[in-house]
Amino acid sequence: MWPLVAALLLGSFCCGSAQLLFNKTKSVEFTFCNETVVIPCFLTNVGAQNTNEMYVKWKFKGKYIFIFDGGQNNATADSNFSSAKIAVSELLKGDASLKMDKGDAKVGNYTCEVTELTREGETVIELKYRVVSWFSPNENILVVIFPILAILLFWGQFGILTLKYKSNCTNKKIILLLIAGLLLTAIVIVGAILFVPGEYSVKNASGLGFIVISTGILILLQYNVFMTAFGMTSFTIAILITQVLGYVLAVVGLCLCIMACIPVHGPLLISGLGIIALAELLGLVYMKFVASNQRTIQAPRKAVEEPLNAFKESKGMMNDE
């Protein structure tokens, strides 16, 4: 009788100690910005004194993708998860987390199985992918709005130029400004289409590049508008310098943003685009102000011909008398 009771008690004791306990984590996330993905697996009651007493297996969708055999001090990774590894030195501390490159990581449930001498246990962790927007929603809006606003202001300048400064405009200048303006508008629209809200990608980066780089054309367009209308003044020079400064800030911000997955320098880029739009607004206001303080200038030929014709008509009337 007593031997049977002792055996039952011993079996119960063994069963209770044969379970490894885990600090359970239901799921973890990774994003495009992560270079390395870590799937946590932490034990709370490791009793081994040496790693050769431990055996770790990681499984994905029923297939073993990584095995560490402490007795052989050997680690094997599946060919589809070639970068998978664990920190062997951390095993005795209870850390059997699996690390791999982002390119090998696959969304789904991973199972961590650990054996320590006569004890064993397992835990399941779900790996999720989270889409992180490259720019915030407000930044996305401003990146697109400022260049479009600057282009609309240029077309306002173009309208004033053709209506109020006819004498200074040749058909060739008008056509060149028109073609350049249309080209700029098309480039910015294409850039805005490519620069859709979402995570960092070559497509988004290309769209942002189209938007920012093309705004440099506005500097040349505004310079030609000023020169055609009334030449350079101290105020127009100040406007162009401001616009160049804004363009430099935007280009620097662009370079910094493209090199980073999370664009912490987004405000610098947006500030540059905002300054460019402000310079276009100042140019439009100045042109409107100058135009309102002078009559529409007639073409030189017309200005000479009209008094001459009037003189001829008056002379003819005197001869008739």
Side-chain angles (χ1 to χ4, degrees):
M1 180 68 180
W2 288 109
L4 178 60
V5 173
L8 291 174
L9 290 175
L10 181 61
S12 175
F13 175 78
C14 291
C15 290
S17 63
Q19 186 69 33
L20 289 173
L21 303 178
F22 293 84
N23 185 358
K24 293 186 178 296
T25 303
K26 292 184 62 176
S27 63
V28 291
E29 297 178 332
F30 72 103
T31 68
F32 182 85
C33 297
N34 292 115
E35 294 296 331
T36 303
V37 177
V38 179
I39 306 175
C41 180
F42 295 101
L43 298 95
T44 59
N45 61 337
V46 175
Q49 301 299 315
N50 197 298
T51 55
N52 59 18
E53 301 174 5
M54 301 191 70
Y55 196 82
V56 180
K57 294 183 289 185
W58 276 92
K59 189 164 54 177
F60 177 71
K61 292 184 177 180
K63 180 182 179 182
Y64 289 108
I65 61 172
F66 180 84
I67 297 174
F68 170 74
D69 185 351
Q72 301 292 328
N73 192 26
N74 180 52
T76 305
D78 184 84
S79 58
N80 293 324
F81 296 84
S82 57
S83 63
K85 61 184 178 180
I86 63 173
V88 178
S89 61
E90 299 296 316
L91 278 179
L92 297 180
K93 300 177 184 178
D95 185 359
S97 300
L98 185 69
K99 302 176 182 64
M100 68 181 81
D101 294 340
K102 178 182 63 179
D104 289 341
K106 296 175 177 61
V107 174
N109 291 327
Y110 290 77
T111 303
C112 174
E113 300 178 359
V114 180
T115 301
E116 178 200 77
L117 294 179
T118 59
R119 298 192 302 167
E120 62 182 7
E122 68 176 39
T123 184
V124 178
I125 308 98
E126 182 182 5
L127 181 63
K128 301 178 180 179
Y129 183 79
R130 180 166 55 92
V131 176
V132 179
S133 180
W134 190 22
F135 287 84
S136 69
N138 290 336
E139 289 176 335
N140 282 320
I141 293 173
L142 293 176
V143 167
V144 175
I145 288 296
F146 278 144
I148 292 177
L149 177 61
I151 291 174
L152 292 176
L153 291 171
F154 159 73
W155 286 117
Q157 295 178 8
F158 182 80
I160 294 176
L161 179 67
T162 56
L163 294 175
K164 298 295 184 179
Y165 299 94
K166 294 180 180 179
S167 64
N168 298 358
C169 298
T170 64
N171 290 335
K172 184 178 180 180
K173 287 183 179 179
I174 293 296
I175 292 174
L176 288 176
L177 287 173
L178 178 63
I179 292 174
L182 291 174
L183 178 63
L184 172 62
T185 304
I187 294 174
V188 171
I189 290 175
V190 170
I193 293 173
L194 293 175
F195 183 68
V196 292
E199 62 184 6
Y200 176 86
S201 65
V202 175
K203 179 181 177 182
N204 280 357
S206 299
L208 183 61
F210 280 139
I211 292 173
V212 175
I213 299 300
S214 62
T215 54
I217 300 175
L218 284 170
I219 301 173
L220 300 176
L221 291 177
Q222 184 153 241
Y223 169 78
N224 281 280
V225 167
F226 287 159
M227 290 299 295
T228 303
F230 40 68
M232 298 302 294
T233 66
S234 58
F235 192 73
T236 57
I237 292 174
I239 291 175
L240 290 173
I241 291 175
T242 301
Q243 197 167 16
V244 170
L245 175 62
Y247 184 69
V248 170
L249 292 177
V251 171
V252 172
L254 170 67
C255 295
L256 294 175
C257 288
I258 288 179
M259 292 188 295
C261 185
I262 300 177
V264 294
H265 298 285
L268 177 64
L269 183 149
I270 294 171
S271 298
L273 295 177
I275 292 174
I276 292 173
L278 176 63
E280 289 291 327
L281 176 61
L282 293 175
L284 177 63
V285 171
Y286 184 69
M287 288 188 68
K288 183 67 176 176
F289 174 77
V290 173
S292 64
N293 288 313
Q294 65 182 28
R295 295 172 55 189
T296 302
I297 304 174
Q298 296 179 334
R301 182 177 178 181
K302 188 176 181 180
V304 173
E305 287 180 349
E306 286 185 354
L308 182 60
N309 292 335
F311 174 74
K312 289 181 178 179
E313 289 177 1
S314 62
K315 185 176 180 181
M317 292 176 62
M318 290 178 62
N319 291 335
D320 291 341
E321 292 176 356

